[in-house]
Amino acid sequence: MHNIGLNNLRYFYYTVLEGGVNQAANRLHVQQPVVSKMLGALDDQFGQPLFWKQGRSKKLTDFGQVVFRHCQSIFDEFEKVEQFSRQQDQISGVLNIGAAEPIVNHFLSSVCSDYMNLYPGVNVNLYTSTQVHLLSMISEGKMEVGFFFYIANMPGNVEVFKKKLFPFRLVVSKDKCKDKTVLQSFIGSREIDDT
């Protein structure tokens, strides 16, 4: 008996799995005669038929059933290797992000949603709090990244990257816009711990 190629077994396996030669040809993206030729070559290599004809359909012989069971084991293992390979290429894990409420509500929620669709293996947690608390969490390794409008006191082990400038507007009623006391006492957001 000649060496049996894995490709020949694949044609046999998908013929059984898909329920026929035409279906296997569609699955393997080849013409139907190619599958039939491979099945005939396998019969010749084994020295006995894998199928017997019953009307228009083909049924597995006893020998064909044994070969198919072995093919299932072989191709199941290939599928596991392929899945493992795909998982190695996927980003997964937990990403903890901290930011002020306006940043989370107006920028990060849609960005994170898009990110999770792109990387379904990543679980994103968003945290809002005061700047001091969020920076402390980053410094202690409890959070990977934070987004801030304003940074007062930076922990020594944290680095700042300025990525985008956002203009901000102070909104004050017309009768208060010239009042310096009002303007000087304005607190921009919960993020800022001082005036």
Side-chain angles (χ1 to χ4, degrees), residues 41-64:
L42 269 179
D43 284 349
D44 292 343
Q45 286 179 320
F46 283 125
Q48 57 184 307
L50 295 165
F51 296 97
W52 54 274
K53 288 187 179 182
Q54 183 182 30
R56 290 184 145 190
S57 63
K58 291 183 173 190
K59 299 290 182 188
L60 283 172
T61 62
D62 290 343
F63 178 70

Side-chain angles (χ1 to χ4, degrees), residues 142-156:
K142 296 176 183 174
M143 187 179 301
E144 286 75 29
V145 65
F147 295 90
F148 305 96
F149 288 122
Y150 165 83
I151 297 179
N153 301 314
M154 284 284 295

Side-chain angles (χ1 to χ4, degrees), residues 81-153:
V81 170
E82 287 174 357
Q83 282 178 351
F84 177 75
S85 175
R86 286 191 298 267
Q87 287 171 351
Q88 296 307 303
D89 293 340
Q90 290 180 352
I91 296 173
S92 62
V94 176
L95 177 60
N96 296 308
I97 300 173
E101 285 181 43
I103 296 174
V104 169
N105 293 336
H106 298 288
F107 302 109
L108 287 182
S109 54
S110 64
V111 170
C112 288
S113 176
D114 293 344
Y115 185 84
M116 289 187 296
N117 287 332
L118 210 63
Y119 304 104
V122 176
N123 182 23
V124 178
N125 297 317
L126 292 174
Y127 295 91
T128 62
S129 185
T130 62
Q131 180 194 78
V132 169
H133 184 244
L134 295 175
L135 285 171
S136 173
M137 288 180 72
I138 293 170
S139 177
E140 295 167 7
K142 296 176 183 174
M143 187 179 301
E144 286 75 29
V145 65
F147 295 90
F148 305 96
F149 288 122
Y150 165 83
I151 297 179
N153 301 314

Side-chain angles (χ1 to χ4, degrees), residues 23 27 33 38 69 74 103 117 125 152 157 177 185 195:
Q23 296 91 321
R27 170 86 181 252
M38 288 293 219
R69 281 196 299 273
I74 292 167
I103 296 174
N117 287 332
N125 297 317
N157 64 339
C177 69
S185 65
T195 57

Side-chain angles (χ1 to χ4, degrees), residues 152-177:
N153 301 314
M154 284 284 295
N157 64 339
V158 174
E159 191 171 348
V160 173
F161 295 93
K162 292 183 180 178
K163 297 305 286 178
K164 186 165 177 113
L165 296 176
F166 290 103
F168 64 91
R169 290 173 176 54
L170 176 60
V171 179
V172 183
S173 65
K174 285 185 178 181
D175 63 324
K176 305 280 185 184
C177 69

